[in-house]
Amino acid sequence: MTDPIPAVRRLGITGTDTGIGKTVVSCALAARARQLGMRVAAMKPAESGIDERPVSASGLLSDADRLRGACGNVHPLSLVRPYVLREPLAPMVAARRAGVTIALDHLNEARTALEHGQELLLVEGAGGLLVPLTATLSYADLFASWQCDMVLVAGNRLGVLNHVLLTVQALERARLPLLGIVLTSLTDHDATVAEATNFDVLQELLPTQRLLRFPWVDRVEDFDALADAAHASGLDTLLGGGAAPHRRAVG
């Protein structure tokens, strides 16, 4: 049986693939929520391959570090990232190779502690929606268990049409409410034909879905810049809830 609908609002941030801007969008949403005066926390249930991340003068810049920073550096990293895995693999595989068991109970405990006193919890997945945490638990299962409203981040590149359509179908099968699709710019170079046409084609193929563009931001550690980009891109509609599909009854 799932938990009762929480007082804190939970947004699940999933993607069409890895490396398409989920963390940037998650940080932008968190920073913008703080600008709007919201109490916000963010979580990456399992992060793998962190020693592959770039290092700056401030130290290791893992996804969880960035999420924590965007929320004001007030939450313990152990709650923001309950599981940290060295190899850059799917969490299930990285955990097995490290001799680690990913337990839903531990994730639930971390989430409960992290969201205490918050209005909004952002939960960033790894890779795509069906990436496995364990052999019996995918991110789709976790988002459903936690009753998240979903944001789909899609990198604007060749292939994104198929990836978005497949993910939207998977969200529908999982009965996960989709608030919007955020098409991210992955480069500041001139757009290819695919990049120039993807947004309009997605609007045509998914006329009932909210579709937003998020620009290239070269200062991903500048949370004010990310918050401003979120505002300019219309991501406030995701923070406010907008016209999300009616949430299913809990039984």
Side-chain angles (χ1 to χ4, degrees), residues 28-72:
L29 285 167
R32 177 58 180 160
R34 290 186 67 217
Q35 274 191 351
L36 294 171
M38 300 175 66
R39 300 187 305 278
V40 58
M43 183 179 188
K44 191 173 182 78
E47 183 173 8
S48 57
I50 64 163
D51 56 356
E52 301 294 326
R53 301 284 195 264
V55 174
S56 76
S58 60
L60 189 65
L61 296 180
S62 73
D63 292 349
D65 289 321
R66 292 191 176 102
L67 291 170
R68 181 173 181 267
C71 294

Side-chain angles (χ1 to χ4, degrees), residues 3-35:
D3 297 335
I5 294 176
V8 62
R9 183 160 174 257
R10 299 174 188 148
L11 286 187
I13 316 297
T14 192
T16 52
D17 201 349
T18 189
I20 45 77
K22 287 190 303 297
T23 302
V24 172
V25 171
S26 297
C27 288
L29 285 167
R32 177 58 180 160
R34 290 186 67 217
Q35 274 191 351

